[in-house]
């Protein structure tokens, strides 16, 4: 038969406290993952919106590079051979 030893009150309290801390950290990590998933989804949506708008601008003005500070569009010369 196994010997049973009763822990001191302080020892048991310390074990409970550390277990509660671990549980809280695991919970926080789960919350963080949910937030991370939400933010990544929102980021993807904004990137899709930006890409769609960039295609609209390319169609309207031609392909180029936009300086976001000045609002100037520098057109890129087409690399297609001319006939």
């Amino acid at each position: 038969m196994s010997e049973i030893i009763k822990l001191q009150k302080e020892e048991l309290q310390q074990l409970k406290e550390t277990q509660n801390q671990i549980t809280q950290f695991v919970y926080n990590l789960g919350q963080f993952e949910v937030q991370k998933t939400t933010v990544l989804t929102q980021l993807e949506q904004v990137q899709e919106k930006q890409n769609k708008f960039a295609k609209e601008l390319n169609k309207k003005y031609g392909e180029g590079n936009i300086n976001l500070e000045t609002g100037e569009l520098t057109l890129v010369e087409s690399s297609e051979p001319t006939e």
Side-chain angles (χ1 to χ4, degrees):
M1 200 160 147
S2 298
E3 181 180 358
I4 296 176
I5 299 173
K6 184 140 174 115
L7 296 177
Q8 294 178 6
K9 186 177 179 181
E10 295 81 21
E11 294 170 330
L12 182 59
Q13 183 62 33
Q14 185 175 353
L15 283 172
K16 286 180 178 180
E17 286 175 9
T18 55
Q19 184 60 47
N20 286 339
Q21 288 176 334
I22 290 170
T23 301
Q24 187 62 47
F25 286 133
V26 169
Y27 174 80
N28 289 344
L29 282 171
Q31 290 294 91
F32 173 73
E33 284 299 319
V34 169
Q35 291 174 347
K36 178 181 167 185
T37 300
T38 301
V39 169
L40 287 173
T41 300
Q42 291 171 339
L43 173 63
E44 191 175 285
Q45 291 170 348
V46 171
Q47 287 174 326
E48 287 175 12
K49 182 178 178 181
Q50 183 182 41
N51 289 339
K52 181 179 177 186
F53 188 59
K55 287 179 184 178
E56 291 174 11
L57 292 176
N58 282 343
K59 185 176 180 181
K60 183 175 182 179
Y61 297 109
E63 191 169 337
N65 298 309
I66 299 173
N67 181 327
L68 295 177
E69 296 296 318
T70 64
E72 296 173 339
L73 171 67
T74 304
L75 295 176
V76 177
E77 293 186 25
S78 176
S79 60
E80 297 177 10
T82 54
E83 295 180 36

